[in-house]
């Protein structure tokens, strides 16, 4: 059975103190509860070690990025080994904001993925089309190319360590969610692309998250789809009152 995951993506929000407070509050809210999915928080790099120290094993911690180089003279960059050394278990890679604002290409993301895996991190690898591509009916070819170009160099064993996150760019932070039907349709397609390359077993075991204006009111309907294995949550992960009901949508 593939993993169900609800992962928060705090993006560039919260000071260190606010972030630790939020993580502690989430941790306390989950204590003693039956949770039917893995819970992850994707926090700013400055916060990772402190957040790791503030939560129990029930909350996994993710970096939001890592470098495409192993180490050396790359001022300002944070390597996958550094991320792993904080106790983080995941790294979000290829978020559309990284692709759009920081020029992250498929080739760069291929390197980042290899380094993340080499350092024992689970990549939460984001794919998704922009509005014009959706309107032109090109969403399937866009996500297929994103997966092929950055991930299909991996062995089946390594691909099995990847979590995919389908995030239509037109739905991120816009309040405009993909319908449950749209999400199911493309998630099933993504799984078929994985199956064609790595076989049915690997595809069946691949966790595919939905992201883009996922919140307490639509999570249950989205997660009810057979190929939607959880969510990558931006805005609604910034307060426990909004994030917890999304986790509980699996109950
Ligand atoms: P959103 O962001 O939930 O605020 O739309 C999702 C994401 O970008 O991961």
């Amino acid at each position: 059975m593939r993993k169900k995951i609800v992962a928060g993506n705090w993006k560039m929000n919260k000071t260190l103190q606010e972030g630790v407070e939020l993580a502690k509050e989430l941790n306390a809210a989950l204590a003693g509860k039956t949770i039917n999915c893995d819970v992850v928080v994707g926090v700013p790099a400055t916060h990772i070690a402190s957040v790791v120290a503030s939560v129990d094993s029930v909350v996994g911690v993710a970096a939001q990025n890592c470098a495409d180089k192993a180490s050396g003279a790359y001022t300002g960059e944070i390597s996958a080994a550094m991320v792993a050394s904080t106790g983080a278990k995941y790294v979000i890679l290829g978020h559309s904001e990284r692709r759009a604002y920081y020029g992250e290409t498929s080739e760069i993301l291929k390197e980042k993925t290899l380094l993340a895996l080499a350092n024992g991190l689970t990549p939460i690898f984001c794919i998704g089309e922009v509005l014009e591509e959706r309107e032109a009916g090109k969403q399937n070819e866009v996500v297929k190319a994103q997966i092929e170009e950055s991930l299909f160099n991996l062995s089946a064993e390594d691909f099995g360590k990847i979590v995919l996150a389908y995030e239509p760019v037109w739905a991120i932070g816009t309040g405009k969610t993909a319908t449950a039907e749209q999400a199911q349709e493309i998630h099933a397609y993504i799984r078929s692309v994985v199956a064609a390359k790595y076989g049915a077993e690997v595809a069946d075991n691949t966790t595919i998250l939905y992201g883009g204006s996922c919140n307490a009111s639509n999570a249950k309907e989205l997660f009810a789809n057979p190929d939607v294995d959880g969510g990558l949550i931006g805005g609604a992960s910034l307060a426990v009152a909004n994030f917890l009901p999304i986790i509980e949508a699996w109950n």
Side-chain angles (χ1 to χ4, degrees), residues 35-184:
I35 304 297
N36 292 327
C37 63
D38 287 3
V39 177
V40 176
V41 287
V43 310
T46 44
H47 303 17
I48 303 174
S50 304
V51 168
V52 167
S54 307
V55 296
D56 300 318
S57 57
V58 65
V59 180
V61 181
Q64 298 175 10
N65 183 25
C66 71
D68 60 339
K69 303 286 193 299
S71 67
Y74 302 103
T75 303
E77 288 295 300
I78 295 164
S79 72
M82 293 173 189
V83 170
S85 73
T86 64
K89 298 283 184 253
Y90 300 82
V91 58
I92 298 170
L93 290 177
H95 191 280
S96 61
E97 288 150 17
R98 301 290 322 167
R99 293 178 190 259
Y101 308 146
Y102 300 97
E104 294 197 0
T105 61
S106 289
E107 198 51 42
I108 290 171
L109 292 169
K110 186 173 165 180
E111 296 306 316
K112 292 188 177 197
T113 302
L114 288 171
L115 286 161
L117 290 170
N119 286 282
L121 295 168
T122 298
I124 299 176
F125 193 90
C126 304
I127 54 177
E129 80 286 357
V130 299
L131 184 61
E132 303 81 75
E133 291 162 340
R134 166 67 63 167
E135 284 173 349
K138 291 190 169 152
Q139 63 273 16
N140 285 6
E141 67 183 84
V142 170
V143 296
K144 181 169 190 247
Q146 288 170 332
I147 298 171
E148 276 175 354
E149 289 166 14
S150 297
L151 303 178
F152 275 6
N153 58 310
L154 298 175
S155 65
E157 192 190 342
D158 276 345
F159 189 89
K161 298 170 186 161
I162 304 277
V163 171
L164 293 175
Y166 168 66
E167 298 204 303
V169 180
W170 47 270
I172 296 176
T174 58
K176 212 174 167 187
T177 322
T179 62
E181 293 71 36
Q182 283 172 324
Q184 170 54 27

Side-chain angles (χ1 to χ4, degrees), residues 206-250:
T206 301
T207 296
I208 309 176
L209 308 180
Y210 169 80
S213 298
C214 182
N215 58 41
S217 17
N218 57 32
K220 230 185 169 74
E221 195 188 347
L222 286 161
F223 298 173
N225 291 289
D227 288 294
V228 178
D229 306 312
L232 181 56
I233 319 296
S237 71
L238 294 172
V240 173
N242 298 327
F243 193 48
L244 188 61
I246 302 176
I247 296 165
E248 291 178 332
W250 281 117

